[in-house]
């Protein structure tokens, strides 16, 4: 039996984090095994869990003291086995922290964007040269058959924002439109990816809704319908990898929902750049696995 790659990722029942279980095996031809102990993973994958390998990341002084004993808390002896960060990002800006790695031999082969790279370089005291992208950009590799367009526009709320989407009338708006669809990230990931691919354009308050749309070269726009944690920083981080600053569209009611033309007019990401990032993300992952015989 092929040895699984021990992969660190969260599993909150939404498509973004669960992409690890589909994309990493697709790229490496290896199964993965979820590992929630930051001392023992082989690979940290898709998600906003980039702070998990750093001590002293806590703002609360009492937690600072606990962080000093982080190695004891998460597994005892220092693990010297090579491991990698691949496409992971931070949920917020940790550049005000005195971050120290809890493991040695971590290779930063890919991080979500320039902002994550800057945090890491400040903490390490030296430069790194990772691929700048999120692993979700490879979502299109999971769909082999041609996908016909069914919807003019798709709306993707963050998985924690479905109640808010109903409160401000966006669910009702989607129901009223014959050529629109509300996409639920809590559904089975492949079905979610196919639904996104069936849309001509996407409005999303979920980062991975935008990333999967980018993977299929579907014009999309970053929406904000609430102030959930990470709703700003992780978007800025991802887009920094393309050298752009993508403005958010604030939606407070159904009347604020954009039309298809506005989404297309504001879309800035070049298809050729996306294709290069796909190749770079796949290649750096395969090379790390092969070179370290994981």
């Amino acid at each position: 039996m092929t040895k699984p790659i021990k992969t660190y990722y969260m599993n909150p029942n939404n498509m973004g984090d669960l992409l690890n279980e589909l994309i990493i095996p697709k790229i490496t031809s290896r199964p993965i095994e979820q590992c929630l102990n930051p001392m023992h993973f082989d690979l940290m994958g898709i998600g906003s869990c980039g702070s998990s390998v750093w001590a002293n990341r806590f703002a609360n002084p009492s937690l600072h003291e606990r962080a000093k004993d982080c190695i004891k808390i998460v597994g005892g002896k220092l693990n010297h086995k090579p491991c990698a960060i691949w496409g992971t990002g931070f949920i917020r800006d940790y550049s005000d922290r005195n971050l120290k790695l809890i493991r040695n031999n971590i290779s930063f082969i890919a991080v979500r964007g320039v902002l994550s790279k800057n945090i890491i370089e400040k903490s390490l005291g030296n430069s790194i040269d990772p691929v700048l992208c999120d692993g979700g950009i490879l979502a299109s590799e999971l769909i082999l058959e041609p996908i016909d367009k069914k919807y003019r526009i798709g709306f993707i709320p963050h998985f924690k924002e479905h109640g808010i989407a109903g409160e401000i009338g966006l669910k009702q708006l989607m129901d009223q439109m014959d050529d629109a669809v509300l996409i639920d990230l809590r559904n089975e990931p492949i079905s979610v990816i196919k639904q996104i691919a069936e849309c001509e354009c996407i409005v999303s308050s979920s980062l991975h809704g935008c990333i999967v749309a980018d993977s299929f070269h579907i014009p999309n726009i970053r929406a904000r319908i609430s102030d959930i944690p990470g709703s700003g920083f992780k978007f800025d981080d991802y887009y920094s990898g393309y050298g752009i600053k993508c403005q958010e569209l604030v939606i407070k009611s159904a009347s604020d929902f954009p039309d298809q033309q506005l989404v297309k007019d504001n879309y800035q990401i070049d298809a050729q750049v996306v294709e290069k990032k796909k190749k770079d993300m796949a290649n750096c992952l395969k090379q790390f696995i092969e070179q370290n015989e994981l």
Side-chain angles (χ1 to χ4, degrees):
M1 178 179 290
T2 304
K3 182 182 177 182
I5 302 167
K6 293 182 179 180
T7 306
Y8 188 98
Y9 62 98
M10 299 294 103
N11 191 3
N13 192 32
N14 94 100
M15 183 266 299
D17 297 275
L18 295 178
L19 285 174
N20 288 288
E21 299 176 1
L22 301 172
I23 290 176
I24 296 171
K26 175 71 175 180
I27 299 304
T28 64
S29 300
R30 294 268 300 277
I32 70 169
E33 173 186 303
Q34 187 178 23
C35 174
L36 290 175
N37 187 328
M39 291 300 295
H40 296 298
F41 67 79
D42 301 319
L43 186 72
M44 178 177 283
I46 301 165
S48 298
C49 49
S51 66
S52 298
V53 292
W54 303 91
N56 304 333
R57 67 185 185 273
F58 305 106
N60 187 315
S62 65
L63 293 179
H64 262 300
E65 294 304 312
R66 287 170 51 193
K68 292 179 181 179
D69 297 322
C70 192
I71 291 174
K72 294 180 181 178
I73 293 171
V74 297
K77 295 181 180 180
L78 190 62
N79 188 344
H80 297 280
K81 182 180 179 182
C83 60
I85 307 298
W86 181 72
T88 318
F90 292 88
I91 194 71
R92 61 170 296 271
D93 186 354
Y94 283 88
S95 60
D96 61 341
R97 302 282 188 267
N98 182 26
L99 298 180
K100 303 294 181 184
L101 285 173
I102 63 171
R103 293 179 65 173
N104 59 3
N105 289 348
I106 296 179
S107 296
F108 296 93
I109 61 174
V111 297
R112 182 178 283 157
V114 175
L115 302 187
S116 284
K117 177 176 180 286
N118 290 345
I119 293 170
I120 294 164
E121 288 183 336
K122 178 180 179 294
S123 302
L124 295 177
N126 57 262
S127 62
I128 58 174
D129 187 28
V131 179
L132 298 176
C133 201
D134 185 287
I137 202 67
L138 289 159
S140 61
E141 301 299 308
L142 301 172
I143 308 297
L144 300 179
E145 71 275 16
I147 302 290
D148 295 327
K149 298 297 183 184
K150 292 184 179 180
Y151 308 103
R152 181 175 58 85
I153 198 163
F155 172 54
I156 310 174
H158 188 277
F159 77 101
K160 293 181 179 179
E161 293 182 324
H162 277 265
I164 296 168
E167 291 170 7
I168 64 176
L170 295 179
K171 286 185 177 181
Q172 298 88 327
L173 178 65
M174 294 295 103
D175 289 340
Q176 292 166 9
M177 298 168 66
D178 294 332
D179 53 358
V181 61
L182 188 147
I183 299 173
D184 189 341
L185 295 179
R186 298 169 297 184
N187 291 336
E188 192 276 324
I190 288 292
S191 68
V192 172
I193 294 168
K194 287 182 177 179
Q195 271 193 310
I196 293 172
E198 290 169 346
C199 297
E200 294 179 9
C201 66
I202 289 290
V203 177
S204 179
S205 62
S206 159
L207 175 60
H208 282 99
C210 292
I211 292 172
V212 173
D214 288 338
S215 180
F216 287 96
H217 309 305
I218 297 170
N220 61 87
I221 196 165
R222 164 191 178 184
R224 184 194 283 268
I225 67 172
S226 77
D227 292 315
I228 59 172
S231 55
F233 181 83
K234 63 184 181 181
F235 278 91
D236 292 339
D237 189 21
Y238 171 67
Y239 291 116
S240 72
Y242 291 91
I244 63 176
K245 186 168 179 60
C246 188
Q247 296 297 319
E248 64 188 13
L249 175 69
V250 177
I251 301 177
K252 295 182 178 180
S253 69
S255 63
D256 297 325
F257 197 81
D259 60 24
Q260 185 179 21
Q261 194 59 50
L262 187 148
V263 176
K264 290 182 176 180
D265 288 346
N266 283 273
Y267 188 58
Q268 304 177 59
I269 293 179
D270 183 86
Q272 290 183 335
V273 176
V274 170
E275 290 305 308
K276 183 177 187 308
K277 285 186 179 290
K278 287 180 186 179
K279 290 179 182 178
D280 291 346
M281 289 295 289
N283 288 339
C284 74
L285 177 56
K286 288 187 286 188
Q287 288 170 8
F288 180 82
I289 297 299
E290 291 168 4
Q291 291 171 0
N292 292 280
E293 299 180 349
L294 295 182

